[in-house]
Amino acid sequence: MVTKKLLFAALLIASCKGGDKKAAPPNVVVTKTEITYEGSGSAKDPWVTADASTVPETPEQRKQRAEVALARVASIMPKLAKVRGLTFEHDIPREYQTAEAFKAFVHAEIAKDMSKDKAADESAALYHVGLLTKPGNLAELEEQAFTTQAGAYYDPAQKKFFVVMVPENDMMLDTMSAHELTHGLQDQHFDLQKYMPSGNKLDDDHQTARRFVAEGDATFTMFLYLAAPNGEVPGAVMKLLRGQLETFATMSPEEMIKQNAAAFGTSIDPEIKKSVDAMGEIPMTVLVPMIDSYMQGALMVAAAFDRGGWKAVDALYTDPPESTEQTLHPATKLFPTRDHPKAVDFHLASDKTEKEVANIVFGELQWQIYFELWLPAQKAIASEGWGGDRVKVTKNGAGKLTAWIATVWDTQKDADEFKGAYVASLAKRFAKGSGDPTTPAGFDRGDGAGKIYLKQDGMKVFIVDGAADAKSVDQLAAATKIN
C-alpha cells in the first residue's frame, strides 16, 4: 500500500527548528525553558537561512556547497558513532544528487513494486474506503511525497547516502548528514534490506512499524548528536529534547505546515520553499506515516533508551515491533509487555469476473487517519484499542469495487466506540448518502457505488462497503478467521 519503498530519508520536518523550542546544536546553553545557542558569534537563529539573494544560485554553486558539506562527513562520523554507541565498520560513500536525478531514482524504485495498473487499482481502492478524499494516483502521490520532502537519503542497495536539498547554512546540511550516517550505522549492524523487506513479506502496518524504528532511531540520534556531539548528554538536555520531540509528535500535518512556513518566513532557500509548499498537497494517508515515523518513532526510541540505553534500542532491530499500535503507545503496548496484534484473514467465494485489487492491514495509524479525515473529534477514541484488521477490495468485470473490512478490538467497549464512530463518519463522507448500515436496508452511499453494511459480533466488527444486500456482511463474518 503506502510508503513501502526502501528510502531512508532526512525530511525537511526532521531538519528544521520546531517553533520556539529549538533542537540544540553543538555548544548549547540550557535554560529553564529552552535550549539556546552559544558560540555562534550572532544572536541570529542558525537554523534559518540568510535572506534570499536577488541573484539566483547556479547549479554549479549549489553542487560546490554540497561537496563542501560532504567533506565534513569524515569529522562527523566518529562523533556520531560515539553518540549512537555503534562503530562504523567502514566508510559511508556519499555524493550530491540533483533534484532531477533524485526524482528519476524515486520514480524507478516505485515502478519496481507498483505497475501502472496496480497503482490505478490501489488508488481507486483507497478512495473507495475513505483514505483518500479525492481520486488520485498512488504512485504519483508517493513520488511527490518523497521528492518534495526528502533533503537527503540513504540507499541500502548502494550502501551510500545522497544529499539532494542544499540549505544555505552548514548546520542544516550537517544535520541531514548525521541522520543519513545513522542509517548507514543501522545498515552495517542490522541490514536494512532484510529489516525492511520489499514486496509483501510484511503487512502494511508491520512494515510501517519497522519504519518507525529506523527513522525514529535516526531522528533521535541526530538530535542527540546536535545536543552533545562528544557523546555526553546532560540530563537536563535529554529532558528538554524529550519535550521537543513530544511537541513535534503532537502536531497535526496542518500545524506542521504552518510551523515550517512560519519558521523560515521569507528567508528561505528556494528548494526548501518548494518542500514547504508541497506538504499541503500530499494526502494524509501518505504524509502522516512519513511524519510519524520520524517524530513518533523518535519518542518510541527514546522510551526504549530510557529502559535500557542503546542496548534496548538495538533490540528493536532483532525483535521488531509488529504494529503501529505498539509504536504509537510504547509505554503501554510495547513495554514492558507487548500487545501483539491478532492475525485477521478471510477467503470469500466470488464469481470469476471478480479480482482482488487491494489487500491491506490498516492498523491503528491508518484508522487514526480515516477518522481524522471524517470525524476528527473522535479520532483517538475510535482508533485506540485496535486488535487487528484486514481490508480487501475486489473489482468485478464491470469495474465495480467492493471493500470487505474485518476488524477485532481489545474490548467490547473499544468495538462499540469504533462501530459508533464509523457509522457517524458515513454522513460526513457521503453528501448524498442515507440510511443505517446496521439495518437490512443498509447505508446507501448515494454515488452509485452500492451500499454499506456493518455487523458487530462482540469485539469483532465487520463492514462491507459497496454491497448489493445485507447477506454480504454475514458472508464476511462467517469467512473471517482471527488468530
Side-chain angles (χ1 to χ4, degrees):
M1 191 183 109
V2 179
T3 318
K4 281 189 174 181
K5 299 313 301 174
L6 289 174
L7 186 63
F8 298 91
L11 296 192
L12 171 65
I13 58 167
S15 305
C16 69
K17 72 169 191 173
D20 292 331
K21 295 184 179 179
K22 303 178 181 71
N27 304 316
V28 298
V29 174
V30 179
T31 69
K32 290 184 179 180
T33 58
E34 65 176 14
I35 301 173
T36 56
Y37 303 92
E38 182 184 60
S40 65
S42 170
K44 182 178 176 62
D45 187 340
W47 287 105
V48 178
T49 59
D51 290 339
S53 170
T54 55
V55 180
E57 185 177 44
T58 67
E60 184 58 33
Q61 289 172 325
R62 185 174 292 274
K63 180 181 179 181
Q64 289 174 354
R65 286 198 299 109
E67 289 175 344
V68 169
L70 290 173
R72 294 194 295 270
V73 165
S75 64
I76 294 173
M77 288 178 66
K79 298 175 183 178
L80 185 76
K82 185 176 181 180
V83 169
R84 179 56 182 83
L86 293 172
T87 58
F88 283 100
E89 296 176 349
H90 52 76
D91 191 32
I92 305 291
R94 57 270 185 187
E95 71 177 58
Y96 169 65
Q97 187 174 67
T98 66
E100 292 76 15
F102 177 50
K103 185 172 183 179
F105 168 78
V106 173
H107 181 84
E109 287 295 293
I110 290 175
K112 288 178 184 178
D113 283 349
M114 193 177 295
S115 67
K116 184 177 180 180
D117 288 345
K118 183 178 179 181
D121 283 340
E122 290 202 12
S123 304
L126 293 183
Y127 178 62
H128 185 81
V129 299
L131 281 179
L132 289 175
T133 59
K134 59 183 179 181
N137 183 286
L138 185 59
E140 292 176 359
L141 294 172
E142 289 197 2
E143 183 175 319
Q144 177 190 15
F146 281 121
T147 56
T148 61
Q149 300 306 306
Y153 72 97
Y154 177 82
D155 181 9
Q158 299 182 65
K159 310 297 181 187
K160 187 175 186 178
F161 90 81
F162 300 83
V163 170
V164 181
M165 292 187 191
V166 190
E168 289 185 353
N169 73 61
D170 292 345
M171 185 168 293
M172 288 186 70
L173 283 162
D174 290 354
T175 298
M176 293 191 298
S177 292
H179 188 101
E180 299 317 317
L181 287 168
T182 304
H183 286 317
L185 275 172
Q186 296 165 353
D187 196 24
Q188 290 183 11
H189 289 269
F190 308 115
D191 193 340
L192 289 177
Q193 286 184 294
K194 288 185 178 179
Y195 189 73
M196 295 284 292
S198 58
N200 297 314
K201 295 177 182 178
L202 301 176
D203 67 57
D204 304 279
D205 193 54
H206 191 166
Q207 186 95 348
T208 300
R210 291 195 182 195
R211 187 171 293 279
F212 269 57
V213 175
E215 295 298 358
D217 179 10
T219 302
F220 182 67
T221 302
M222 175 190 76
F223 279 126
L224 284 184
Y225 170 79
L226 291 172
N230 294 320
E232 300 297 328
V233 184
V237 171
M238 178 65 79
K239 182 178 179 180
L240 288 169
L241 175 56
R242 287 289 298 272
Q244 170 159 348
L245 290 173
E246 289 169 0
T247 298
F248 270 123
T250 56
M251 284 184 178
S252 68
E254 292 81 5
E255 291 169 333
M256 186 73 72
I257 292 167
K258 291 178 181 178
Q259 183 274 145
N260 277 359
F264 289 105
T266 58
S267 302
I268 185 169
D269 179 86
E271 285 188 349
I272 295 179
K273 183 179 187 305
K274 185 186 295 184
S275 175
V276 173
D277 293 343
M279 281 187 77
E281 301 301 316
I282 302 170
M284 285 205 289
T285 190
V286 175
L287 181 63
V288 171
M290 290 179 65
I291 293 175
D292 281 5
S293 69
Y294 291 79
M295 299 308 171
Q296 294 283 3
L299 283 177
M300 175 195 62
V301 169
F305 186 87
D306 287 346
R307 293 184 64 82
W310 289 118
K311 184 177 180 180
V313 176
D314 293 346
L316 295 173
Y317 294 91
T318 56
D319 186 16
E322 307 144 290
S323 69
T324 55
E325 180 189 50
Q326 293 175 353
T327 60
L328 291 168
H329 309 284
T332 56
K333 302 294 185 177
L334 188 59
F335 305 119
T337 303
R338 292 193 179 190
D339 184 357
H340 298 287
K342 292 181 171 59
V344 179
D345 205 1
F346 49 84
H347 299 280
L348 298 166
S350 60
D351 63 63
K352 294 181 180 180
T353 67
E354 202 166 60
K355 71 171 184 175
E356 183 178 284
V357 296
N359 190 327
I360 306 164
V361 173
F362 272 28
E364 181 176 336
L365 183 58
Q366 289 292 345
W367 282 118
Q368 279 190 8
I369 293 167
Y370 174 88
F371 288 109
E372 176 68 27
L373 289 171
W374 305 113
L375 206 67
Q378 295 191 46
K379 166 187 167 182
I381 195 171
S383 58
E384 290 183 10
W386 175 90
D389 72 60
R390 177 72 59 179
V391 180
K392 296 182 182 181
V393 181
T394 58
K395 181 169 70 172
N396 68 14
K400 180 181 176 298
L401 298 178
T402 303
W404 309 81
I405 304 170
T407 70
V408 61
W409 300 85
D410 290 342
T411 67
Q412 175 82 41
K413 182 174 180 289
D414 293 325
D416 292 343
E417 290 169 345
F418 170 77
K419 170 189 172 183
Y422 186 86
V423 171
S425 75
L426 299 180
K428 303 291 185 180
R429 278 176 62 188
F430 304 106
K432 297 180 180 180
S434 61
D436 183 346
T438 65
T439 68
F443 178 92
D444 190 332
R445 290 170 52 116
D447 59 1
K451 295 184 177 183
I452 299 175
Y453 293 93
L454 182 149
K455 176 179 181 177
Q456 182 176 358
D457 179 9
M459 295 183 291
K460 297 174 285 188
V461 180
F462 304 96
I463 302 163
V464 181
D465 183 346
D469 55 55
K471 293 179 182 178
S472 57
V473 76
D474 293 327
Q475 178 189 6
L476 172 62
T480 298
K481 305 296 181 185
I482 300 174
N483 297 308

